Amino acid sequence: MKISTLFLGGALLMSTSAMAQDNLLAKANEGALGDKGAMAQNGWQCWKFPFTYDQIDEEFTFSEATQIEWDSNGPGGNGVRWENKSSAVTYNGASYSKPVAFIRWDNGSMHSFWFVYPVEISKPGVYEFSMLGGEWSNCSSDSDNSYLKTDGSQSAIMVAFSNKIGPEGIRWEGWADGVDEATLAISEIGIPTEGQGKLFLFPKTANDQATLQKCTTMLDAPEAGTYYVQLLGSHALDVISDLQLVWKADLSAVEEIGMDSQVVSTTYYGIDGTQILTPASGTFVIEKSVMSDGRIKTAKKVIR
């Protein structure tokens, strides 16, 4: 595990108001009920990046990218849209009343689709991405020429982030932490390196209902410019809602550190001051370290 550190000059806590930032994905959430073209109208794009894999030479060949026309019936007429399904969508045990976006990769023609939303980054640094997501129907292990493949008991959505659209801008390596290769094969490509994306898994539900879960990850924007929040998925029709991308820290003040012998004990706290015994990867915490010489260090950290 790597830990990115932003030193706070001894301050243990930061106020939540000081961290409040504009949501760069606010417009991406604007979906009028019944307006199935709303996602495209609000800036969403859909790109197809087909690929072939040579198992002998272990090499990938990417075909020319195609931007899919997005009309009132979704990209390629596939029904990607905003709708209100409060009677069949739950979050934290209660009905979810906000509109959800139906986003899908549940047939062969859509397996290499990338759903893309461009954002203008004027303030470089570390950004927190979050959304609610869940499986709605059609979850299957079928995934010919797909970037993500599951065993059919769960669906997968990868959130990738880059200043280029598609696989060219994503640094891929390794497997997702805690995910067995027998359960999830990610096209033998792997996942984006830390700071550039994250994989989320959603248990398969009965058809035409979803249980939403909160999905968060930290993303790095080292310089100003146009970046792309990109979603890839396994064979399923999923729902997402409440997408957010907010600035959290100055990247120039963040450094990678390792724990050395001078640290006697370490305690983690949330922004609200509550102690966290085991902070999850991708979260912001305040770390309080007691050093062997008696000094106490406090720092804001992104758990990687």
Side-chain angles (χ1 to χ4, degrees):
M1 175 186 291
K2 292 181 180 178
I3 300 179
S4 296
T5 306
L6 177 63
F7 289 102
L8 295 179
L12 178 58
L13 299 176
M14 292 179 65
S15 69
T16 55
S17 61
M19 297 185 63
Q21 301 290 334
D22 292 336
N23 175 20
L24 298 184
L25 295 178
K27 190 171 177 59
N29 290 308
E30 296 176 1
L33 182 60
D35 184 359
K36 296 185 179 182
M39 290 184 73
Q41 294 167 10
N42 292 344
W44 283 94
Q45 303 172 10
C46 183
W47 290 79
K48 188 170 187 176
F49 288 91
F51 68 90
T52 56
Y53 177 63
D54 186 328
Q55 294 187 354
I56 297 177
D57 294 330
E58 297 184 343
E59 293 181 349
F60 288 89
T61 302
F62 295 95
S63 303
E64 184 176 353
T66 302
Q67 186 169 8
I68 307 299
E69 183 178 352
W70 198 321
D71 56 23
S72 60
N73 290 314
N78 284 296
V80 175
R81 75 279 187 185
W82 286 97
E83 285 194 18
N84 192 318
K85 293 288 186 180
S86 59
S87 62
V89 179
T90 60
Y91 177 56
N92 283 340
S95 294
Y96 185 73
S97 59
K98 295 180 181 179
V100 294
F102 283 72
I103 189 166
R104 62 194 313 173
W105 295 268
D106 55 338
N107 65 52
S109 66
M110 306 183 75
H111 282 163
S112 57
F113 275 14
W114 293 52
F115 292 95
V116 177
Y117 194 85
V119 293
E120 292 300 322
I121 298 295
S122 60
K123 188 174 184 178
V126 178
Y127 282 78
E128 181 182 68
F129 169 88
S130 66
M131 71 176 185
L132 301 180
E135 191 269 349
W136 175 262
S137 65
N138 301 338
C139 180
S140 169
S141 60
D142 174 26
S143 60
D144 181 39
N145 294 323
S146 175
Y147 284 84
L148 302 179
K149 177 180 180 178
T150 75
D151 63 359
S153 66
Q154 55 194 340
S155 67
I157 291 182
M158 176 77 73
V159 177
F161 186 71
S162 173
N163 58 1
K164 296 181 180 180
I165 296 177
E168 180 185 0
I170 305 299
R171 299 173 294 166
W172 303 89
E173 69 174 25
W175 296 88
D177 290 342
V179 177
D180 191 291
E181 293 185 22
T183 303
L184 179 75
I186 312 176
S187 298
E188 297 86 17
I189 294 179
I191 63 175
T193 56
E194 61 177 288
Q196 297 304 310
K198 188 172 181 178
L199 178 74
F200 299 102
L201 301 176
F202 307 112
K204 183 175 183 178
T205 62
N207 280 348
D208 302 332
Q209 60 179 298
T211 301
L212 299 178
Q213 65 186 52
K214 186 70 172 287
C215 308
T216 61
T217 189
M218 296 301 169
L219 305 170
D220 300 340
E223 57 186 28
T226 303
Y227 286 76
Y228 302 93
V229 176
Q230 308 181 71
L231 305 181
L232 301 77
S234 63
H235 186 107
L237 170 56
D238 299 306
V239 293
I240 59 175
S241 186
D242 194 25
L243 290 93
Q244 298 189 39
L245 184 69
V246 296
W247 184 90
K248 287 291 184 178
D250 183 354
L251 192 63
S252 65
V254 177
E255 60 177 321
E256 298 294 339
I257 68 168
M259 305 302 284
D260 57 40
S261 59
Q262 291 182 317
V263 178
V264 176
S265 64
T266 301
T267 310
Y268 296 102
Y269 298 88
I271 298 300
D272 61 358
T274 303
Q275 184 175 347
I276 303 174
L277 296 179
T278 306
S281 177
T283 58
F284 271 85
V285 296
I286 304 297
E287 182 186 80
K288 181 179 179 180
S289 298
V290 178
M291 313 303 289
S292 56
D293 60 5
R295 291 179 299 129
I296 295 178
K297 287 186 176 181
T298 59
K300 181 77 178 301
K301 294 186 178 284
V302 182
I303 303 298
R304 300 296 194 184

